[in-house]
Amino acid sequence: MKLRFLSLVAAAILLAACTTKKPETVAAVAAAPPPPPVAAPKPTGPAPDSLEYFNTVVGNLVNFAYDKYDLDAAAQSKLKGQAAWLKQYPARTLTVEGHCDERGTREYNLGLGDRRANAVRQFLVAEGVAANRLKTISYGKERPTCVTSDETCWAKNRRGASTAQ
Amino acid sequence: MLKALTKMLRAGAVAVLAIILTAPSSYAQVRLDITRGRVEPMPIAIPVFPGNSDELMQMGKDVAEVIAKDLERSGLFRPLDQKAFLQELTSLDVQPRFADWRTLAAQALVQGSVDIQANGQIRIAFRLWDVFSGQQMEGKGFGTDAANWRRVAHMVADLIYSTITGESGYFDTRVVYIAESGPAINRVKRLAIMDQDGANHRYLTDGSALVLTPRFSPTGPEITYLSYFRNIPRVYMFNIDTGRQEVLGDFPGMTYAPRFSPDGNGVAFSAALNGNSDIYTMDLRTRRMVRLTDNPAIDTSPSFSPNGDQLTFASDRGGTQQIYVMNADGTNPQRISFGTGKSRYATPVWSPRGDLIAVTRYASSDGNFYIGVMKPDGSGERTLAQGFLVEAPTWSPNGRVLMYFAQGPNGGRTRLFSIDLTGYNQREIITPQDASDPAWSPLLP
């Protein structure tokens, strides 16, 4: 009985070894050939005027460097997409939340989150979105998306999060 | 007179029918100098305060225990084990056998009593003795509703503390703070209040709106704090006695970081507009507002000097956030923090004594936070506590103890701690849930 149990454990370990090993091989192979041609989008995804489309296809998040509120090239490109979407769907409005990582004090982070939300808002206004369609709110470090205390997680939390209505 | 007295009692006040039992001696021989770095705790004997019924006896036991715990937590006293006592002090008029108390190495002795008066109120009285000289150092009686026995115990502890140290006490005080629950990504935060020793805990808000950074009025039963009520972050006032809440004015953007002026008639705070935070004051009587800073930096966390002439605040106008001091009209801002290790400074709070400013420092060189103090000119900086996150120092009303909150990495528990100005005697303040943003009340009226 005991032996049988042990052999089951051994099998499980082997299986585990296989499953952890497998993705590495796949990744190595997948990296080699050029990407396959992109198929024409099928009309099965979210409707282009939907909030889901805004969040997943346009992209509702931009990130910031530590204690900074300037928008890098990636953020600007994302926000240009947000501005184009807002111009295409004039009934939509946006609330921009400014968030910070945990490596700051509460009150300063409220000010920094306000700066970040307004950096996003001002960029969208410069792209031609009417200011009265854009609201801002700072959450400082109160609403992280990730709670691990490392730079990867902190980088995710330093964000401007746009919620379309 | 009776009406005023009833009103006082309803408000939870103790009618201090202060009776000096005998005049304290003109000089106290038993003394603790608490301005030195580390003090050997003074052995003190606090027997049960006797009463002539089971109920009063139990109260007398509880009173003695609250006094002993207050004094012990100060780090300055070492209450002796009651089991070792050789003499039972059966009333306030029994003469202590000082030789017996000296053999226990007690330096001070608290003799007390609990009685019921003709009007149904209780009377708690005590004498504080210098065991070596056999002289009475202090003596008082307090008449009150039985429900107020705890407050009287704190008041007695304050009198013992002030008689022996020469500094005013801080035991008859409360702490308002933020009680936290739920997952880190969607924390529920409620205003909560308790006595400084954690007793009489209650919640003031239900958690439906995010609330942050409460601060006590120095003069009345009021708190100012930040609430996200209806998802608009604004400064609010909260009256503890009536439960009434009120928004502090209507602003186009967020208002935050409120703190009362020393006379309780005004509030200093930050208002953000288009991403820029500046400091304002508002007179609570006239609602007149004055803008004190006009700078593209984040100017926040204003705190008045106790005489109201100056404010300290945090600003990143020099590149990173640092501590500044300016005149109360906003003129002459001077940077006072110049720490090493790429230090950012925040949350300056002026001591009620005026001599120091407590700060939070973040050193990006080692990734740790520090609670420290510096003089208002920036000199004499000292670190008192450190950790992965320590933040939000608040002063005891006598300026001798700081309370703050700490949190470990990866969304760890948030907890309250106190530490002496000397950097010794760190204690946790036990709360029912996680706790942050403590604010100490003044001594209760």
Side-chain angles (χ1 to χ4, degrees):
Chain A
M1 188 61 199
K2 200 173 184 183
L3 261 178
R4 196 171 149 209
F5 174 72
L6 275 178
S7 63
L8 272 174
V9 171
I13 289 167
L14 272 173
L15 272 173
C18 286
T19 47
T20 49
K21 207 171 174 185
K22 212 173 175 184
E24 285 170 33
T25 325
V26 172
V29 173
V38 180
K42 287 176 183 162
T44 50
D49 67 340
S50 68
L51 303 185
E52 189 188 351
Y53 185 90
F54 178 79
N55 289 341
T56 59
V57 182
V58 177
N60 69 322
L61 296 174
V62 294
N63 294 100
F64 297 89
Y66 176 69
D67 201 8
K68 295 277 191 278
Y69 61 106
D70 27 317
L71 300 159
D72 63 13
Q76 293 191 18
S77 150
K78 186 88 68 86
L79 293 179
K80 280 180 180 165
Q82 289 187 10
W85 187 82
L86 285 166
K87 282 189 270 187
Q88 199 172 348
Y89 303 105
R92 293 291 190 189
T93 60
L94 218 60
T95 300
V96 184
E97 300 171 359
H99 297 274
C100 305
D101 66 27
E102 63 180 352
R103 302 283 76 194
T105 47
R106 195 173 322 285
E107 288 178 344
Y108 182 81
N109 275 354
L110 288 171
L112 182 58
D114 187 69
R115 263 183 180 168
R116 286 174 175 165
N118 276 278
V120 169
R121 179 178 184 271
Q122 280 151 21
F123 188 90
L124 294 174
V125 169
E127 287 292 310
V129 180
N132 62 9
R133 295 172 64 194
L134 302 168
K135 272 196 235 171
T136 60
I137 183 167
S138 172
Y139 282 100
K141 60 175 173 177
E142 302 307 312
R143 290 286 178 262
T145 57
C146 170
V147 293
T148 313
S149 294
D150 60 27
E151 178 48 34
T152 314
C153 184
W154 294 332
K156 283 182 194 161
N157 287 335
R158 297 189 296 259
R159 68 201 191 278
S162 301
T163 309
Q165 290 95 15
Chain B
M1 174 61 196
L2 190 66
K3 204 174 168 188
L5 198 66
T6 320
K7 203 174 160 193
M8 270 173 76
L9 290 169
R10 204 182 304 128
V14 176
V16 187
L17 309 170
I19 302 148
I20 310 256
L21 297 167
T22 50
S25 58
S26 55
Y27 62 97
Q29 289 172 320
V30 179
R31 272 271 169 171
L32 270 176
D33 178 5
I34 60 174
T35 57
R36 286 184 294 130
R38 188 137 168 83
V39 176
E40 188 62 34
M42 174 187 283
I44 185 168
I46 310 169
V48 169
F49 283 28
N52 61 7
S53 72
D54 286 352
E55 204 180 327
L56 291 178
M57 214 55 206
Q58 182 59 47
M59 188 180 286
K61 202 175 155 194
D62 294 340
V63 166
E65 187 181 324
V66 167
I67 295 169
K69 281 191 172 162
D70 277 350
L71 295 175
E72 192 281 325
R73 284 179 66 85
S74 77
L76 302 175
F77 296 88
R78 183 165 57 85
L80 299 170
D81 186 351
Q82 290 177 340
K83 287 199 282 292
F85 296 170
L86 302 171
Q87 180 188 14
E88 192 186 351
L89 297 167
T90 49
S91 86
L92 202 56
D93 301 320
V94 171
Q95 178 68 22
R97 296 194 304 268
F98 292 106
D100 282 0
W101 297 101
R102 278 196 288 270
T103 61
L104 304 174
Q107 290 186 36
L109 167 66
V110 181
Q111 180 176 17
S113 67
V114 184
D115 298 303
I116 197 135
Q117 296 174 293
N119 63 1
Q121 290 203 332
I122 55 153
R123 183 169 171 280
I124 297 173
F126 81 102
R127 300 178 196 271
L128 174 64
W129 296 99
D130 178 336
V131 171
F132 286 88
S133 68
Q135 285 191 34
Q136 181 175 319
M137 302 168 76
E138 180 61 277
K140 268 202 170 82
F142 301 85
T144 183
D145 275 359
N148 285 333
W149 67 269
R150 246 194 126 82
R151 268 205 69 193
V152 172
H154 291 310
M155 291 162 99
V156 171
D158 277 329
L159 275 168
I160 295 167
Y161 180 99
S162 61
T163 305
I164 291 178
T165 67
E167 310 266 345
S168 62
Y170 58 91
F171 304 122
D172 186 24
T173 56
R174 291 193 275 187
V175 174
V176 62
Y177 74 98
I178 298 297
E180 302 191 8
S181 58
I185 58 165
N186 193 22
R187 212 66 168 142
V188 174
K189 297 198 172 189
R190 304 168 71 182
L191 267 183
I193 192 167
M194 59 187 176
D195 296 351
Q196 58 68 38
D197 62 353
N200 292 318
H201 186 280
R202 68 184 166 110
Y203 296 102
L204 300 177
T205 63
D206 62 8
S208 57
L210 176 65
V211 290
L212 304 169
T213 64
R215 275 92 197 230
F216 256 105
S217 163
T219 53
E222 286 222 287
I223 293 165
T224 181
Y225 66 107
L226 172 62
S227 172
Y228 278 70
F229 180 64
R230 290 185 179 150
N231 250 3
I232 307 172
R234 293 267 165 82
V235 171
Y236 284 77
M237 314 289 286
F238 187 105
N239 186 298
I240 304 167
D241 289 348
T242 64
R244 195 175 118 91
Q245 296 179 57
E246 184 191 359
V247 69
L248 186 79
D250 193 24
F251 297 87
M254 169 176 64
T255 51
Y256 64 110
R259 213 176 270 279
F260 281 95
S261 62
D263 63 8
N265 290 328
V267 172
F269 57 96
S270 284
L273 189 62
N274 299 325
N276 178 34
S277 296
D278 278 308
I279 292 171
Y280 295 75
T281 53
M282 182 185 273
D283 188 312
L284 295 171
R285 298 160 299 183
T286 61
R287 301 276 151 177
R288 198 173 78 92
M289 217 167 72
V290 180
R291 182 179 189 157
L292 297 187
T293 68
D294 187 357
N295 193 296
I298 294 174
D299 293 335
T300 192
S301 305
S303 168
F304 279 94
S305 62
N307 64 10
D309 290 350
Q310 291 176 295
L311 287 111
T312 179
F313 63 102
S315 173
D316 64 352
R317 59 183 64 189
T320 58
Q321 48 175 332
Q322 299 293 338
I323 307 301
Y324 291 76
V325 167
M326 64 181 167
N327 294 333
D329 62 0
T331 58
N332 196 28
Q334 298 288 330
R335 177 174 163 180
I336 63 161
S337 64
F338 297 92
T340 54
K342 293 183 179 173
S343 287
R344 289 172 162 83
Y345 286 82
T347 75
V349 192
W350 217 303
S351 157
R353 302 161 69 94
D355 55 346
L356 292 169
I357 291 171
V359 298
T360 303
R361 178 167 71 92
Y362 174 60
S364 36
S365 57
D366 66 10
N368 282 324
F369 282 81
Y370 299 83
I371 300 288
V373 291
M374 59 178 71
K375 290 181 186 165
D377 65 2
S379 67
E381 182 178 352
R382 287 192 293 125
T383 291
L384 303 181
Q386 70 176 84
F388 174 77
L389 176 68
V390 289
E391 188 181 338
T394 180
W395 291 95
S396 62
N398 69 353
R400 281 286 164 207
V401 184
L402 285 164
M403 201 179 285
Y404 60 94
F405 79 92
Q407 183 179 28
N410 306 316
R413 290 197 55 205
T414 53
R415 301 188 290 168
L416 304 185
F417 292 89
S418 66
I419 192 157
D420 286 9
L421 199 47
T422 54
Y424 294 104
N425 194 36
Q426 187 184 54
R427 304 285 178 121
E428 183 178 358
I429 291 88
I430 305 294
T431 50
Q433 295 182 303
D434 278 16
S436 60
D437 293 3
W440 217 314
S441 81
L443 275 174
L444 295 176

